């Protein structure tokens, strides 16, 4: 991936750059909004990491200027992490929003999702298949090796998210945001509990196991 | 800590067409009663009553004085008349006197004075016969027995009026009667206290109406202040007292109250934003700390040390979660969060929460159910209420005994929309219930039950934002947590039957 990191805090920006390079991704940096717009006009990127509080033009203003133009997907990375901030960021055109402080793994997974979605032409279809697991979305039916699997609404939603990104890591926070919506912070590890139940249904009686736990980050299917 | 029943709780009168007129009459009656209780009205009435008593006394007394004055005056007139007669021609012979009197009366203008001259045999020598008869009868004097008739000054009140007379014996045994009917004079005098009385009555009525006017004006302004303060106490932080155009004591009182409310608001905002800004300011150093630990842990070959470092990273995540909760609480308490009040399918909301927490409930062997009665259609912000009910369910599952039951329900109670979470666990004592909603309060100080102690504070803030509050009640046994939303207006009937 070619990543543009727009961040005025040098320590954070250096750290992200080092980690991205370590994961085999190329990075360019901008310390303010105007610099970011200049680089976006000159070079091609797969994804942009955008801080909100920036000198010259702040992140929201950058999003506003990008609106309506062809631009790579933008992940807003900000200490402004209240629900209203997230809603404002996403409404302004951000493709994802991550609050500070953050796990690099979480950031990397989200950037990879954005970059892949950007490169992919069509949205996942009505029938999703991962190995011998098949999901018919309109019919709300899941089978493995032809055997019907009965899922609750939440389990179905979680499996749908995982099957839409086969082989890709999906973080716990991403699952929570997508299955329960922004603004819900459970006091308990609800995602783990539901994924545990889901695993019992899709993997227990079948081989090989499809649902993998990615330690301390999230899950991947297939 | 006390829970307000919300703004306007018991003030709202029953609406509807049928209840309108009695309602208005009752309001009017209450208004009159409150008016009678005001200080200025009472003062006006007291002064008015004293004034009436004093004036009535003065009027009665002056009437007595006036009557006495009239009588004295008439007596003097009669005496002067007789004296004049004595000097003019003497009082010896009745026939001569009768001639003189006739002569004098021709010269005198018409007066209410009546004169009679009777000779020794009781014959009327002067005076009109009919009138003389009436006059003598009033004086209890029989002309046939003239000697038996009283002489001197005589006062008589009879049908014809009030008579004052002076009877003088003549030298030849006759009588000279000079009489005066004072009734017309008394009638005139009587009008004086009457006029004064009417004057006092008019004055009294005027002072009453002024009293009512000023009192109701005062009452209206005091009412407006009381109503504004009640609404402020009920949660309307933007409510202020309207200052009228007149720059009087109420205007300055209102200005002072408004200044105080502004200050209270500033303090409340400072208190709740200070925690938010502390959390916010600490995020950048926390990010750096987290990143450094992660980098060190990654390059660490020593397994035990790496595990320690990962514990440290987990600790930063816990702090992050706590910050998020503090900021969320501040966001809700100061109403900075995005909120959309919409019609809400309570049955669907509760069912989704049940499904979300069912795996956790099953782990603890707890039956998590949605009450079977039809769920009403409520109004509220779905995301916030989902969070609020979820927090209550989370707590109920943590503290409910194994094998217990947790029931979710939605209802209208006393006109309030409510979402309820009931458990059959140990419950809370009244003292604990008051403590439970405070920030960072935890019933399990050992820290073995996970949580940050902000769950109920967030629920309370969400309920307050909806215009209600969080009520913790006894479920006998267990705890009944009630999220009270706003008042239930007349809305469409229940949408669904809950499962």
């Amino acid at each position: 991936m070619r990543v543009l990191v727009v961040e005025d805090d040098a320590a954070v920006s250096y750290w992200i750059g080092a980690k991205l390079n370590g994961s085999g991704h190329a990075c360019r940096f901008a310390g303010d909004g105007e610099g970011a717009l200049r680089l976006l006009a000159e070079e091609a990127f797969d994804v942009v990491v955008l801080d909100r509080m920036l000198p010259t033009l702040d992140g929201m203003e950058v999003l506003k200027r990008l609106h309506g133009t062809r631009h790579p997907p933008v992940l807003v990375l900000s200490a402004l992490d209240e629900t209203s901030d997230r809603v404002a960021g996403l409404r302004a055109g951000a493709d994802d929003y991550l609050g500070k402080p953050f796990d690099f793994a979480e950031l990397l997974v989200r950037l990879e999702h954005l970059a892949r979605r950007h490169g992919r032409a069509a949205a996942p279809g009505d029938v999703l298949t991962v190995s011998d697991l098949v999901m018919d979305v309109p019919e709300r039916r899941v089978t493995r090796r032809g055997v019907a699997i009965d899922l609750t609404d939440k389990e179905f939603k979680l499996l749908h998210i995982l099957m839409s990104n086969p082989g890709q890591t999906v973080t716990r926070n991403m699952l929570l945001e997508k299955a329960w919506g922004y603004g819900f912070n459970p006091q308990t590890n609800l995602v783990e509990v539901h994924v545990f139940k889901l695993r019992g249904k899709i993997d227990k009686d079948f081989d090989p196991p499809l649902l993998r736990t990615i330690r301390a980050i999230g899950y991947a299917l297939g | 800590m006390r829970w307000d029943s919300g703004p306007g709780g018991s003030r709202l009168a029953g609406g509807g067409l049928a209840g309108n007129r009695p309602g208005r009459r009752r309001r009017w009656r209450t208004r009159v009663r409150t008016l009678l209780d005001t200080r200025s009205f009472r003062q006006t009435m007291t002064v008015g009553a004293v004034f009436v008593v004093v004036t009535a006394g003065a009027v009665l007394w002056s009437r007595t004085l006036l009557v006495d004055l009239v009588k004295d005056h008439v007596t003097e007139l009669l005496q002067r008349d007789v004296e004049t007669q004595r000097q003019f021609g003497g009082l010896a012979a009745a026939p001569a006197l009768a001639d003189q009197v006739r002569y004098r009366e021709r010269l005198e203008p018409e007066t209410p004075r009546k004169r009679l001259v009777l000779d020794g045999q009781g014959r009327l020598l002067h005076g009109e016969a009919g009138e003389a008869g009436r006059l003598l009868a009033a004086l209890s004097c029989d002309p046939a027995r003239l000697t038996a008739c009283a002489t001197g000054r005589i006062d008589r009140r009879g049908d014809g009026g009030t008579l004052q007379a002076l009877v003088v014996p003549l030298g030849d045994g006759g009588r000279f009667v000079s009489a005066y009917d004072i009734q017309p004079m008394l009638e005139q005098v009587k009008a004086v206290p009457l006029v004064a009385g009417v004057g006092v009555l008019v004055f009294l009525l005027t002072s009453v109406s002024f009293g009512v006017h000023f009192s109701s004006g005062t009452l209206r302004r005091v009412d407006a202040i009381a109503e504004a303060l009640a609404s402020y106490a009920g949660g309307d932080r933007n409510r202020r007292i309207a200052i009228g155009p007149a720059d009087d004591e109420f205007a300055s009182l209102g200005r002072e109250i408004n200044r105080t409310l502004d200050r209270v608001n500033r303090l409340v905002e400072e208190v709740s934003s200070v925690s938010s800004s502390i959390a916010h300011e600490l995020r950048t150093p926390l990010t750096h700390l987290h990143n450094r630990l992660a980098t060190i842990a990654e390059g660490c070959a020593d397994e035990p040390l790496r595990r320690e470092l990962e514990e440290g990273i987990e600790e930063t995540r816990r702090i992050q979660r706590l910050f998020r909760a503090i900021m969320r609480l501040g966001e809700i308490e100061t109403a900075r969060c995005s909120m959309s009040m919409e019609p809400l399918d309570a049955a669907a909301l509760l069912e989704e929460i049940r499904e979300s927490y069912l795996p956790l409930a099953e782990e603890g062997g707890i039956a998590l159910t949605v009450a079977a009665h039809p769920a009403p259609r409520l109004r509220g912000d779905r995301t916030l209420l989902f969070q609020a009910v979820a927090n209550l369910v989370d707590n109920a599952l943590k503290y409910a005994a194994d094998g217990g039951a947790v029931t979710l329900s939605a209802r209208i109670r006393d006109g309030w929309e409510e979402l309820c979470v009931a458990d059959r666990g140990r419950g809370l004592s009244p003292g604990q219930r008051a403590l439970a909603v405070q920030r960072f309060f935890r019933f399990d100080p050992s820290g073995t039950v996970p949580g940050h102690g902000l769950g109920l504070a967030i629920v309370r803030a969400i309920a307050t934002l909806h215009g209600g509050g969080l009520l913790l009640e006894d479920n006998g046994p267990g705890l009944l947590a009630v999220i009270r939303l706003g008042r239930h207006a007349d809305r469409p009937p229940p949408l669904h039957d809950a499962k």
Side-chain angles (χ1 to χ4, degrees), chain A residues 9 15 19 79 81-84 100-101 103 152-154 180 185 187-188 193-194 197, chain B residues 283 287-288 290-291 295 298 317 320 324 328 331 352 355-356 359 362 387 391 394:
Chain A
D9 183 339
W15 187 71
K19 301 289 271 186
D81 188 29
E82 297 186 24
T83 309
S84 47
K100 287 180 186 173
D103 276 309
T152 65
D153 284 344
K154 285 284 177 246
W180 276 274
N185 296 304
Q187 302 178 65
T188 332
V193 174
H194 281 268
K197 299 286 280 188
Chain B
R283 290 193 126 192
T287 307
H288 293 169
H290 177 101
N291 297 349
T295 312
E298 218 163 75
R317 287 203 190 100
Q320 188 187 346
R324 184 162 290 171
R328 183 77 176 138
E331 194 185 25
E352 190 185 342
E355 204 207 310
S356 300
E362 282 169 353
Q387 178 78 60
N391 283 8
D394 205 289

CSV table of all heavy atoms in Angstrom, one decimal, chain A residues 9 15 19 79 81-84 100-101 103 152-154 180 185 187-188 193-194 197, chain B residues 283 287-288 290-291 295 298 317 320 324 328 331 352 355-356 359 362 387 391 394:
chain,number,residue,atom,x,y,z
A,9,ASP,N,1.6,15.8,14.9
A,9,ASP,CA,2.4,15.3,16.0
A,9,ASP,C,3.5,14.4,15.4
A,9,ASP,O,3.2,13.2,15.0
A,9,ASP,CB,1.4,14.5,16.9
A,9,ASP,CG,2.2,14.0,18.2
A,9,ASP,OD1,3.4,13.9,18.2
A,9,ASP,OD2,1.5,13.8,19.2
A,15,TRP,N,6.1,7.2,14.3
A,15,TRP,CA,5.8,5.8,14.8
A,15,TRP,C,4.9,5.1,13.7
A,15,TRP,O,5.2,3.9,13.4
A,15,TRP,CB,5.0,5.9,16.1
A,15,TRP,CG,4.8,4.6,16.8
A,15,TRP,CD1,5.7,3.8,17.4
A,15,TRP,CD2,3.5,3.9,16.9
A,15,TRP,NE1,5.1,2.6,17.8
A,15,TRP,CE2,3.8,2.7,17.5
A,15,TRP,CE3,2.2,4.2,16.5
A,15,TRP,CZ2,2.7,1.8,17.8
A,15,TRP,CZ3,1.2,3.3,16.8
A,15,TRP,CH2,1.5,2.1,17.4
A,19,LYS,N,6.2,1.8,11.6
A,19,LYS,CA,5.4,0.5,11.6
A,19,LYS,C,4.9,0.1,10.2
A,19,LYS,O,5.0,-1.0,9.9
A,19,LYS,CB,4.2,0.7,12.6
A,19,LYS,CG,4.5,1.0,14.0
A,19,LYS,CD,5.2,-0.1,14.7
A,19,LYS,CE,4.2,-1.0,15.4
A,19,LYS,NZ,4.8,-2.0,16.2
A,79,ALA,N,-7.9,12.4,18.2
A,79,ALA,CA,-8.2,12.4,19.6
A,79,ALA,C,-9.6,12.8,19.9
A,79,ALA,O,-10.1,12.6,21.0
A,79,ALA,CB,-7.2,13.2,20.4
A,81,ASP,N,-12.8,11.9,19.9
A,81,ASP,CA,-13.3,10.6,19.7
A,81,ASP,C,-14.7,10.4,20.3
A,81,ASP,O,-15.1,9.3,20.7
A,81,ASP,CB,-12.3,9.6,20.4
A,81,ASP,CG,-12.7,8.2,20.1
A,81,ASP,OD1,-13.3,7.9,19.0
A,81,ASP,OD2,-12.4,7.3,20.9
A,82,GLU,N,-15.4,11.5,20.5
A,82,GLU,CA,-16.8,11.3,21.1
A,82,GLU,C,-17.7,10.9,19.9
A,82,GLU,O,-17.3,11.1,18.8
A,82,GLU,CB,-17.2,12.7,21.7
A,82,GLU,CG,-16.3,13.0,22.9
A,82,GLU,CD,-16.8,14.3,23.6
A,82,GLU,OE1,-18.0,14.5,23.6
A,82,GLU,OE2,-16.0,14.9,24.3
A,83,THR,N,-18.8,10.3,20.3
A,83,THR,CA,-19.7,9.8,19.2
A,83,THR,C,-20.0,10.8,18.2
A,83,THR,O,-20.0,10.6,17.0
A,83,THR,CB,-20.9,9.2,19.9
A,83,THR,OG1,-20.5,8.3,20.9
A,83,THR,CG2,-21.7,8.4,18.9
A,84,SER,N,-20.3,12.1,18.7
A,84,SER,CA,-20.7,13.1,17.8
A,84,SER,C,-19.5,13.5,16.9
A,84,SER,O,-19.7,13.8,15.7
A,84,SER,CB,-21.1,14.4,18.6
A,84,SER,OG,-20.2,14.6,19.6
A,100,LYS,N,-7.8,8.1,19.0
A,100,LYS,CA,-6.5,8.0,19.7
A,100,LYS,C,-6.8,7.8,21.1
A,100,LYS,O,-7.7,8.4,21.7
A,100,LYS,CB,-5.7,9.2,19.4
A,100,LYS,CG,-5.1,9.4,18.1
A,100,LYS,CD,-4.3,10.7,18.0
A,100,LYS,CE,-3.8,11.0,16.6
A,100,LYS,NZ,-3.2,12.3,16.6
A,101,PRO,N,-6.0,7.0,21.9
A,101,PRO,CA,-4.9,6.2,21.4
A,101,PRO,C,-5.4,5.0,20.6
A,101,PRO,O,-6.5,4.6,20.9
A,101,PRO,CB,-4.1,5.9,22.6
A,101,PRO,CG,-5.1,6.0,23.7
A,101,PRO,CD,-6.1,6.9,23.3
A,103,ASP,N,-4.3,1.0,18.7
A,103,ASP,CA,-3.4,-0.1,18.4
A,103,ASP,C,-3.0,0.0,17.0
A,103,ASP,O,-3.8,0.2,16.1
A,103,ASP,CB,-4.1,-1.4,18.7
A,103,ASP,CG,-4.0,-1.8,20.1
A,103,ASP,OD1,-3.0,-1.7,20.7
A,103,ASP,OD2,-5.1,-2.1,20.6
A,152,THR,N,-28.6,-16.6,15.1
A,152,THR,CA,-29.4,-15.5,15.6
A,152,THR,C,-29.0,-14.3,14.7
A,152,THR,O,-28.1,-14.3,13.9
A,152,THR,CB,-29.0,-15.1,17.1
A,152,THR,OG1,-27.6,-14.6,17.1
A,152,THR,CG2,-29.1,-16.3,18.0
A,153,ASP,N,-29.8,-13.2,14.8
A,153,ASP,CA,-29.6,-12.0,14.0
A,153,ASP,C,-28.2,-11.5,14.1
A,153,ASP,O,-27.5,-11.1,13.2
A,153,ASP,CB,-30.6,-10.9,14.4
A,153,ASP,CG,-32.0,-11.2,13.8
A,153,ASP,OD1,-32.1,-12.1,12.9
A,153,ASP,OD2,-33.0,-10.6,14.3
A,154,LYS,N,-27.7,-11.4,15.4
A,154,LYS,CA,-26.4,-10.9,15.6
A,154,LYS,C,-25.3,-11.8,15.0
A,154,LYS,O,-24.4,-11.3,14.4
A,154,LYS,CB,-26.1,-10.7,17.1
A,154,LYS,CG,-26.9,-9.5,17.7
A,154,LYS,CD,-26.2,-8.2,17.3
A,154,LYS,CE,-27.0,-7.0,17.9
A,154,LYS,NZ,-27.6,-6.1,16.9
A,180,TRP,N,-23.4,-3.4,15.9
A,180,TRP,CA,-24.2,-2.7,16.9
A,180,TRP,C,-24.3,-1.2,16.6
A,180,TRP,O,-25.1,-0.6,17.2
A,180,TRP,CB,-23.6,-2.9,18.3
A,180,TRP,CG,-24.1,-4.2,18.9
A,180,TRP,CD1,-25.2,-4.4,19.6
A,180,TRP,CD2,-23.4,-5.5,18.9
A,180,TRP,NE1,-25.3,-5.7,20.0
A,180,TRP,CE2,-24.2,-6.4,19.6
A,180,TRP,CE3,-22.2,-5.9,18.4
A,180,TRP,CZ2,-23.9,-7.7,19.8
A,180,TRP,CZ3,-21.9,-7.3,18.6
A,180,TRP,CH2,-22.7,-8.2,19.3
A,185,ASN,N,-21.1,1.4,23.5
A,185,ASN,CA,-19.9,0.9,24.2
A,185,ASN,C,-20.3,-0.1,25.3
A,185,ASN,O,-20.6,0.3,26.4
A,185,ASN,CB,-19.1,2.0,24.8
A,185,ASN,CG,-18.5,3.0,23.8
A,185,ASN,OD1,-17.9,2.5,22.9
A,185,ASN,ND2,-18.9,4.2,23.9
A,187,GLN,N,-20.2,-2.7,28.3
A,187,GLN,CA,-19.2,-2.8,29.4
A,187,GLN,C,-18.6,-4.2,29.5
A,187,GLN,O,-17.7,-4.4,30.3
A,187,GLN,CB,-20.0,-2.5,30.7
A,187,GLN,CG,-20.6,-1.1,30.7
A,187,GLN,CD,-21.4,-0.9,32.0
A,187,GLN,OE1,-20.8,-0.8,33.1
A,187,GLN,NE2,-22.7,-0.7,31.9
A,188,THR,N,-19.1,-5.1,28.6
A,188,THR,CA,-18.7,-6.4,28.6
A,188,THR,C,-18.2,-6.8,27.2
A,188,THR,O,-18.6,-6.1,26.3
A,188,THR,CB,-19.8,-7.4,29.1
A,188,THR,OG1,-20.7,-6.7,29.9
A,188,THR,CG2,-19.2,-8.6,29.8
A,193,VAL,N,-18.1,-12.9,23.1
A,193,VAL,CA,-19.1,-13.9,23.5
A,193,VAL,C,-19.9,-14.4,22.3
A,193,VAL,O,-20.2,-15.5,22.1
A,193,VAL,CB,-20.1,-13.2,24.5
A,193,VAL,CG1,-21.2,-14.2,24.9
A,193,VAL,CG2,-19.3,-12.9,25.8
A,194,HIS,N,-20.3,-13.4,21.4
A,194,HIS,CA,-21.1,-13.8,20.2
A,194,HIS,C,-20.3,-14.6,19.2
A,194,HIS,O,-20.8,-15.5,18.6
A,194,HIS,CB,-21.7,-12.5,19.6
A,194,HIS,CG,-22.9,-12.0,20.3
A,194,HIS,ND1,-24.2,-12.5,20.0
A,194,HIS,CD2,-23.0,-11.2,21.4
A,194,HIS,CE1,-25.1,-11.9,20.9
A,194,HIS,NE2,-24.4,-11.1,21.7
A,197,LYS,N,-20.0,-18.1,20.3
A,197,LYS,CA,-21.2,-18.8,20.0
A,197,LYS,C,-21.3,-19.2,18.5
A,197,LYS,O,-21.6,-20.3,18.1
A,197,LYS,CB,-22.5,-18.0,20.3
A,197,LYS,CG,-22.7,-17.7,21.8
A,197,LYS,CD,-23.1,-18.8,22.6
A,197,LYS,CE,-24.6,-19.1,22.5
A,197,LYS,NZ,-25.0,-20.1,23.5
B,283,ARG,N,-5.0,12.0,26.4
B,283,ARG,CA,-5.0,11.0,25.4
B,283,ARG,C,-3.7,11.0,24.6
B,283,ARG,O,-3.2,9.9,24.2
B,283,ARG,CB,-6.1,11.2,24.4
B,283,ARG,CG,-7.4,11.0,25.1
B,283,ARG,CD,-8.5,10.9,24.1
B,283,ARG,NE,-9.2,9.6,24.3
B,283,ARG,CZ,-10.1,9.1,23.5
B,283,ARG,NH1,-10.3,9.7,22.4
B,283,ARG,NH2,-10.6,8.0,23.7
B,287,THR,N,-1.3,7.9,24.1
B,287,THR,CA,-1.0,7.3,22.8
B,287,THR,C,0.5,7.0,22.7
B,287,THR,O,0.9,5.9,22.3
B,287,THR,CB,-1.4,8.3,21.7
B,287,THR,OG1,-2.8,8.7,21.9
B,287,THR,CG2,-1.3,7.7,20.3
B,288,HIS,N,1.3,8.0,23.1
B,288,HIS,CA,2.7,7.8,23.0
B,288,HIS,C,3.2,6.6,23.9
B,288,HIS,O,3.9,5.8,23.4
B,288,HIS,CB,3.5,9.0,23.5
B,288,HIS,CG,3.3,10.2,22.5
B,288,HIS,ND1,3.6,11.5,22.8
B,288,HIS,CD2,2.7,10.2,21.3
B,288,HIS,CE1,3.3,12.3,21.8
B,288,HIS,NE2,2.8,11.5,20.8
B,290,HIS,N,1.4,4.1,24.9
B,290,HIS,CA,0.9,2.8,24.3
B,290,HIS,C,1.8,2.4,23.2
B,290,HIS,O,2.2,1.2,23.1
B,290,HIS,CB,-0.5,3.1,23.8
B,290,HIS,CG,-1.2,1.9,23.1
B,290,HIS,ND1,-2.1,1.1,23.7
B,290,HIS,CD2,-1.0,1.4,21.9
B,290,HIS,CE1,-2.4,0.2,22.9
B,290,HIS,NE2,-1.8,0.4,21.8
B,291,ASN,N,2.1,3.3,22.3
B,291,ASN,CA,3.0,3.0,21.1
B,291,ASN,C,4.4,2.5,21.5
B,291,ASN,O,4.9,1.6,21.0
B,291,ASN,CB,3.1,4.2,20.2
B,291,ASN,CG,1.7,4.6,19.7
B,291,ASN,OD1,0.8,3.9,19.8
B,291,ASN,ND2,1.6,5.8,19.1
B,295,THR,N,6.0,-1.0,20.8
B,295,THR,CA,7.3,-1.2,20.1
B,295,THR,C,8.3,-2.1,20.9
B,295,THR,O,8.9,-3.0,20.3
B,295,THR,CB,7.9,0.2,19.8
B,295,THR,OG1,6.9,1.0,19.3
B,295,THR,CG2,9.1,0.1,18.8
B,298,GLU,N,7.3,-5.7,21.0
B,298,GLU,CA,7.5,-6.4,19.7
B,298,GLU,C,9.0,-6.9,19.6
B,298,GLU,O,9.2,-8.0,19.1
B,298,GLU,CB,7.2,-5.4,18.6
B,298,GLU,CG,6.5,-6.1,17.4
B,298,GLU,CD,5.9,-5.0,16.6
B,298,GLU,OE1,6.7,-4.3,15.8
B,298,GLU,OE2,4.7,-4.8,16.7
B,317,ARG,N,-5.1,0.2,27.5
B,317,ARG,CA,-6.4,0.0,26.9
B,317,ARG,C,-7.5,0.2,27.9
B,317,ARG,O,-8.6,0.8,27.6
B,317,ARG,CB,-6.5,-1.4,26.3
B,317,ARG,CG,-5.7,-1.6,25.1
B,317,ARG,CD,-6.2,-2.7,24.2
B,317,ARG,NE,-5.3,-3.0,23.2
B,317,ARG,CZ,-4.4,-4.1,23.2
B,317,ARG,NH1,-4.4,-4.9,24.2
B,317,ARG,NH2,-3.5,-4.2,22.2
B,320,GLN,N,-8.0,3.8,28.4
B,320,GLN,CA,-8.6,4.3,27.2
B,320,GLN,C,-10.1,4.1,27.3
B,320,GLN,O,-10.9,5.0,27.0
B,320,GLN,CB,-8.0,3.6,26.0
B,320,GLN,CG,-8.5,4.3,24.7
B,320,GLN,CD,-8.0,3.4,23.5
B,320,GLN,OE1,-7.1,2.6,23.7
B,320,GLN,NE2,-8.6,3.7,22.4
B,324,ARG,N,-12.9,6.9,27.5
B,324,ARG,CA,-14.1,7.0,26.6
B,324,ARG,C,-15.4,7.1,27.3
B,324,ARG,O,-16.3,7.9,26.9
B,324,ARG,CB,-14.0,5.7,25.7
B,324,ARG,CG,-15.1,5.7,24.6
B,324,ARG,CD,-14.8,4.7,23.6
B,324,ARG,NE,-13.7,5.1,22.8
B,324,ARG,CZ,-13.1,4.4,21.9
B,324,ARG,NH1,-13.5,3.1,21.7
B,324,ARG,NH2,-12.1,4.8,21.2
B,328,ARG,N,-17.9,10.2,27.2
B,328,ARG,CA,-19.2,9.9,26.7
B,328,ARG,C,-20.2,10.5,27.7
B,328,ARG,O,-21.2,11.1,27.4
B,328,ARG,CB,-19.4,8.4,26.6
B,328,ARG,CG,-20.8,8.0,26.1
B,328,ARG,CD,-20.9,8.2,24.6
B,328,ARG,NE,-22.1,7.7,24.1
B,328,ARG,CZ,-22.8,8.3,23.2
B,328,ARG,NH1,-22.4,9.5,22.7
B,328,ARG,NH2,-24.0,7.9,22.7
B,331,GLU,N,-20.3,14.2,27.4
B,331,GLU,CA,-21.0,14.5,26.1
B,331,GLU,C,-22.5,14.4,26.3
B,331,GLU,O,-23.2,15.3,25.9
B,331,GLU,CB,-20.6,13.4,25.1
B,331,GLU,CG,-20.9,13.7,23.7
B,331,GLU,CD,-20.5,12.5,22.8
B,331,GLU,OE1,-20.4,11.4,23.3
B,331,GLU,OE2,-20.2,12.7,21.6
B,352,GLU,N,-33.7,-6.7,20.7
B,352,GLU,CA,-32.3,-6.7,20.2
B,352,GLU,C,-31.3,-6.7,21.4
B,352,GLU,O,-30.3,-7.4,21.4
B,352,GLU,CB,-32.0,-5.5,19.4
B,352,GLU,CG,-30.6,-5.6,18.7
B,352,GLU,CD,-30.2,-4.3,17.9
B,352,GLU,OE1,-31.1,-3.5,17.6
B,352,GLU,OE2,-29.0,-4.2,17.6
B,355,GLU,N,-31.2,-10.3,22.7
B,355,GLU,CA,-30.4,-11.1,21.8
B,355,GLU,C,-28.9,-10.9,22.1
B,355,GLU,O,-28.1,-11.8,22.1
B,355,GLU,CB,-30.8,-10.9,20.4
B,355,GLU,CG,-30.4,-12.1,19.5
B,355,GLU,CD,-30.2,-11.7,18.1
B,355,GLU,OE1,-31.0,-11.0,17.5
B,355,GLU,OE2,-29.1,-12.1,17.5
B,356,SER,N,-28.6,-9.6,22.3
B,356,SER,CA,-27.2,-9.2,22.5
B,356,SER,C,-26.6,-9.8,23.8
B,356,SER,O,-25.5,-10.2,23.8
B,356,SER,CB,-27.0,-7.7,22.5
B,356,SER,OG,-27.4,-7.2,21.3
B,359,PRO,N,-26.3,-14.7,25.2
B,359,PRO,CA,-25.1,-15.6,25.5
B,359,PRO,C,-24.5,-15.4,26.9
B,359,PRO,O,-24.2,-16.4,27.5
B,359,PRO,CB,-24.1,-15.2,24.4
B,359,PRO,CG,-24.9,-14.6,23.3
B,359,PRO,CD,-26.0,-13.9,24.0
B,362,GLU,N,-26.9,-16.8,29.4
B,362,GLU,CA,-26.9,-18.3,29.5
B,362,GLU,C,-25.7,-18.8,30.2
B,362,GLU,O,-25.8,-19.8,30.9
B,362,GLU,CB,-26.9,-18.8,28.0
B,362,GLU,CG,-28.3,-18.8,27.4
B,362,GLU,CD,-28.3,-19.0,25.9
B,362,GLU,OE1,-27.2,-19.1,25.3
B,362,GLU,OE2,-29.4,-19.1,25.4
B,387,GLN,N,-27.9,2.0,24.6
B,387,GLN,CA,-26.8,2.0,25.5
B,387,GLN,C,-27.3,1.9,27.0
B,387,GLN,O,-26.8,1.2,27.8
B,387,GLN,CB,-26.0,3.3,25.3
B,387,GLN,CG,-24.8,3.4,26.3
B,387,GLN,CD,-23.6,2.5,25.9
B,387,GLN,OE1,-23.1,2.7,24.8
B,387,GLN,NE2,-23.2,1.6,26.8
B,391,ASN,N,-26.6,-1.1,29.6
B,391,ASN,CA,-25.9,-0.9,30.8
B,391,ASN,C,-26.6,-1.5,32.0
B,391,ASN,O,-26.0,-2.2,32.9
B,391,ASN,CB,-25.6,0.6,31.1
B,391,ASN,CG,-24.5,1.2,30.3
B,391,ASN,OD1,-24.0,0.5,29.4
B,391,ASN,ND2,-24.1,2.4,30.6
B,394,ASP,N,-26.4,-5.3,31.7
B,394,ASP,CA,-25.1,-5.7,32.1
B,394,ASP,C,-25.0,-5.7,33.6
B,394,ASP,O,-24.5,-6.8,34.2
B,394,ASP,CB,-24.1,-4.6,31.5
B,394,ASP,CG,-22.8,-5.2,31.3
B,394,ASP,OD1,-22.1,-5.5,32.3
B,394,ASP,OD2,-22.4,-5.4,30.2
